[in-house]
Amino acid sequence: MSPRTKEQNDAIREMRMNQIMQAAAEVYLEKGIQLEIRDVAVKAELGYGTVYHYYKNKHMLLEDLLWDALNRTESAVLPAMTGDGGSSLKAESFSRLLLQKCIQDPSVFILLKTVADNFHQFPGNRFIKLFADFQERIYLPFVEMIREGIDSKSPEKTANLIFGSLVGCTALNIHHNMQNEMDVEGIVEMIFSGIQSKGR
């Protein structure tokens, strides 16, 4: 049997890391910051040593999980940020896409909840850069959509209210096993029904 090529090793590494991060997200939803590498290994059906080979501690793993979630979040909402239509419609589309992604991808929900909680469960200042990137890539573009398209005295407060609503709805569904029942369209419509678009 011939040795694996660099490309094959890279593919295996990427597959393992995705497997580990998916398991970490599931464990985090169950245990929060109390999760341990051993819990992740069990959930991923991998040996403890295999997971430890990639991540020496849970904080390194969670940091990678959140950075990866930021990239996934940005990809999910990109159509709303780059699409046609007025800012009000873009804000609704952004919210719909974000809520859908939260349901499909627990790591995105964990990112949004962690940002909303101001990273209070994580030690030190290791998430300052992540928070700054979240602000620049996700939060501030959304605030700008609201500023341009919605009649709001404080676009930031309106954005916070919408983000909080999306996190809360996702949490209810995750923790009550109702993912299949979640009416994304109805929830976003309800949130935006009380928000007055400019130019109406």
Side-chain angles (χ1 to χ4, degrees):
M1 190 168 158
S2 59
R4 287 194 295 253
T5 64
K6 181 184 182 308
E7 290 76 19
Q8 288 171 321
N9 282 331
D10 289 346
I12 289 169
R13 177 178 171 75
E14 186 175 342
M15 184 186 73
R16 282 278 181 266
M17 289 180 77
N18 285 337
Q19 190 178 358
I20 291 166
M21 282 198 276
Q22 184 176 345
E26 291 175 27
V27 173
Y28 189 89
L29 290 178
E30 296 166 9
K31 296 190 170 190
I33 198 68
Q34 302 304 317
L35 101 165
E36 296 296 339
I37 294 287
R38 193 172 309 283
D39 303 323
V40 175
V42 169
K43 183 69 80 172
E45 298 180 353
L46 294 170
Y48 175 75
T50 302
V51 178
Y52 190 77
H53 170 75
Y54 291 100
Y55 295 102
K56 301 300 180 205
N57 62 58
K58 67 182 180 183
H59 297 296
M60 289 173 65
L61 172 54
L62 289 170
E63 191 168 355
D64 256 17
L65 176 80
L66 293 175
W67 275 106
D68 186 59
L70 177 59
N71 294 330
R72 292 169 187 251
T73 302
E74 186 176 41
S75 294
V77 299
L78 195 60
M81 292 199 276
T82 58
D84 295 329
S87 293
S88 176
L89 290 174
K90 284 185 175 183
E92 282 189 55
S93 174
F94 180 104
S95 301
R96 195 176 300 110
L97 292 167
L98 188 56
L99 182 56
Q100 191 67 51
K101 190 65 175 173
C102 279
I103 298 165
Q104 296 167 347
D105 188 341
S107 67
V108 171
F109 166 71
I110 293 166
L111 171 68
L112 293 183
K113 183 154 184 352
T114 303
V115 168
D117 292 343
N118 203 24
F119 299 94
H120 83 276
Q121 293 190 5
F122 295 88
N125 296 321
R126 66 194 306 151
F127 291 100
I128 290 173
K129 171 85 169 93
L130 176 67
F131 182 70
D133 273 33
F134 179 85
Q135 293 285 101
E136 182 183 333
R137 292 161 59 183
I138 307 297
Y139 181 74
L140 292 176
F142 185 58
V143 169
E144 197 54 36
M145 289 175 202
I146 291 170
R147 180 174 283 112
E148 292 176 1
I150 293 170
D151 194 14
S152 171
K153 290 179 184 173
S154 173
E156 291 82 6
K157 283 184 181 176
T158 301
N160 292 343
L161 178 119
I162 294 168
F163 273 117
S165 299
L166 300 178
V167 169
C169 288
T170 306
L172 280 172
N173 281 271
I174 285 173
H175 297 303
H176 294 279
N177 297 316
M178 298 162 51
Q179 285 94 330
N180 295 334
E181 299 171 35
M182 194 163 186
D183 177 10
V184 171
E185 290 291 331
I187 289 167
V188 171
E189 191 177 314
M190 190 183 304
I191 291 169
F192 278 84
S193 66
I195 299 173
Q196 187 69 41
S197 293
K198 287 182 177 175
R200 276 190 185 167

